[in-house]
Amino acid sequence: MAVEHSGSYFNRQVVRKCPAMTARYRPPLLASVSPGFHLVLCKKFNGRKYSFSDITSQMFTITAEDGATVTYDTFGADGRVYSNNDPWVILCPGACGTQEAGYIRTLVEKIIRKQPAWRVAVLNHLGMDDRVPLTSARIASHGCTLSLDLMVKEIRARYQSSPLMLIGISIGGNISLKYLGEKPERQSMFKAAISMCQGYDVGHCMQFSEATFWVRICSRYFASEFVSKIKRYEDVFTAQSAPQAHSCGRPSTRCVRDAFIHGQFGDGIVVGNGRAVNEEIDIEKVLNIKLMREFDDEFM
């Protein structure tokens, strides 16, 4: 299996010294039953709370143009004085993920333990951070890169000389690669980018989305996560005075649809099921969704 790269000396050495990069990947049994099964396991069974006695953290907030409150957390070794040249690792979690997720905290801990000079910044997916309310009729989706872009811009503005590395996990891998591909000039900001446990096309795979028992379990789990957040902020999406999604100015009953796809596809576009983005949807139907496929049936 060939690995495409720029041909630089560094890339050639990485490929030469990492033969696993050109070998066929054969995942272990539990990881191969479903693209998201590993993430469910990590979220459920690796949720221990870390005291982080020797790691400090700080939350930052950014207000987007549409009024959305984007949050991210930074981590570093306690007592260490960092310079403007010390590296940053930017983490984009999986579906519904925040810095509280056990697998994210495990990764943060391992990075800082092994590389104390490195700092880590974790994006909290929009609408998933329980510390701040939803301030705009928009929540995270598997394609929206707006929050990641705001976070990267702020870190780059504050630490102009720091090398940046980007790691996306699961759906965070989709978002990270989409972010780098939307505007290729963004790639020059990063020394490295890694997409972990991603590797599948969400739209193409929907036809297989409930093919097995294990995949149905994952589908139900992620659907329940999204629905719980929509229920929590139902008043934001349905109130007559709800904040506008991307300043679109459409009636608020359409904002749930905007929350998932308006940021990616634009205004008035006709999507997969033949309906326009600006059509109204049945909020009660959305609140009773049980499987991720039903989200695509309703929104896509």
Side-chain angles (χ1 to χ4, degrees), residues 76-262:
D78 188 24
R80 184 180 181 88
V81 178
Y82 289 95
S83 72
N84 195 36
N85 295 318
D86 290 328
W88 278 97
V89 177
I90 297 174
L91 296 183
C92 187
C96 305
T98 70
Q99 56 87 29
E100 285 289 339
Y103 69 97
I104 291 294
R105 293 235 160 184
T106 298
L107 185 55
V108 168
E109 182 183 44
K110 289 184 178 298
I111 290 173
I112 296 178
R113 294 274 190 266
K114 291 181 177 296
Q115 299 289 346
W118 292 11
R119 290 164 291 184
V120 181
V122 179
L123 176 67
N124 301 306
H125 285 309
L126 192 62
M128 309 301 164
D129 190 346
D130 293 335
R131 297 170 298 177
V132 296
L134 190 69
T135 56
S136 178
R138 174 167 63 88
I139 61 175
S141 74
H142 56 244
C144 185
T145 62
L146 298 176
S147 296
L148 180 60
D149 184 42
L150 289 172
M151 173 185 172
V152 171
K153 285 180 177 177
E154 182 163 290
I155 291 176
R156 171 51 70 206
R158 289 180 176 176
Y159 306 96
Q160 299 179 10
S161 300
S162 293
L164 301 182
M165 289 166 279
L166 178 61
I167 299 177
I169 302 173
S170 192
I171 289 299
N174 284 26
I175 295 171
S176 298
L177 293 184
K178 185 171 183 285
Y179 167 77
L180 294 174
E182 286 174 339
K183 297 181 180 180
E185 60 270 20
R186 291 171 173 168
Q187 299 171 23
S188 62
M189 293 190 296
F190 297 92
K191 293 294 184 181
I194 302 173
S195 175
M196 299 174 60
C197 307
Q198 178 246 332
Y200 61 95
D201 183 315
V202 176
H204 178 72
C205 290
M206 286 313 297
Q207 59 183 307
F208 310 109
S209 59
E210 279 89 43
T212 68
F213 170 77
W214 295 109
V215 179
R216 288 181 68 87
I217 291 294
C218 295
S219 180
R220 285 183 176 273
Y221 174 80
F222 288 121
S224 67
E225 290 278 297
F226 276 110
V227 169
S228 68
K229 297 301 181 182
I230 293 175
K231 285 182 177 179
R232 179 179 179 183
Y233 298 114
E234 182 179 355
D235 59 329
V236 178
F237 291 118
T238 60
Q240 293 301 317
S241 59
Q244 297 174 352
H246 292 275
S247 301
C248 59
R250 294 192 293 276
S252 56
T253 52
R254 298 167 184 159
C255 285
V256 176
R257 182 185 296 276
D258 295 339
F260 285 88
I261 61 177
H262 176 71

Side-chain angles (χ1 to χ4, degrees), residues 37-99:
F37 188 67
H38 60 282
L39 187 58
V40 174
L41 289 178
C42 287
K43 290 168 76 73
K44 287 298 185 183
F45 299 107
N46 190 27
R48 65 187 179 95
K49 298 295 183 181
Y50 290 90
S51 62
F52 277 159
S53 58
D54 55 347
I55 296 178
T56 59
S57 64
Q58 184 177 0
M59 184 182 77
F60 292 87
T61 62
I62 307 171
T63 302
E65 290 184 1
D66 65 344
T69 302
V70 177
T71 68
Y72 67 94
D73 286 77
T74 63
F75 299 86
D78 188 24
R80 184 180 181 88
V81 178
Y82 289 95
S83 72
N84 195 36
N85 295 318
D86 290 328
W88 278 97
V89 177
I90 297 174
L91 296 183
C92 187
C96 305
T98 70
Q99 56 87 29

Side-chain angles (χ1 to χ4, degrees), residues 6-26:
S6 65
S8 68
Y9 174 79
F10 173 79
N11 288 340
R12 294 199 308 272
Q13 291 300 307
V14 168
V15 173
R16 185 178 69 84
K17 294 185 177 182
C18 301
M21 295 183 68
T22 58
R24 183 180 178 84
Y25 175 62
R26 300 183 182 279

